[in-house]
Amino acid sequence: FWQIADENVFPNQNPTSGGRTGERIHRLGPRETLDQVAYASYGQTGLWRALAAFNGIDDPLRLQAGDAIRLPAKIDDLKALA
C-alpha cells in the first residue's frame, strides 16, 4: 500500500486515538466540597479551583449533594488548568 495523502489530512481512525482520556463521575455527598473531592481523588486540596474550571463551575458554594462532578483520569489534565 502507498500513502497517497499526507497522514495529517485524515482524522484518526481508531476510536481511542486522539480522543479525550477516560473521565470518572463523582456524585457529591452531603456537605462535600471540591477541595475534599480533589484530595480524595488526587491527594491535593489545592486542585479544587482546577476541578471547578474543568467542570465549568463558577460558584462552588452553589453545589449540592448529588451534583455530578467530572474527574479527569490524569492529574496532569487538572494541573494544566491550575
Side-chain angles (χ1 to χ4, degrees), residues 35-50:
D35 63 319
Q36 293 169 331
V37 174
Y39 184 77
S41 300
Y42 306 104
Q44 298 180 27
T45 58
L47 291 175
W48 74 268
R49 285 185 178 93

Side-chain angles (χ1 to χ4, degrees), residues 15-65:
T16 60
S17 61
R20 293 172 61 171
T21 58
E23 296 174 357
R24 296 174 288 149
I25 300 293
H26 175 79
R27 296 262 177 209
L28 291 176
R31 293 184 294 254
E32 189 173 28
T33 59
L34 287 181
D35 63 319
Q36 293 169 331
V37 174
Y39 184 77
S41 300
Y42 306 104
Q44 298 180 27
T45 58
L47 291 175
W48 74 268
R49 285 185 178 93
L51 198 54
F54 185 79
N55 284 277
I57 298 169
D58 59 352
D59 185 1
L61 296 178
R62 288 196 289 190
L63 292 173
Q64 298 178 0

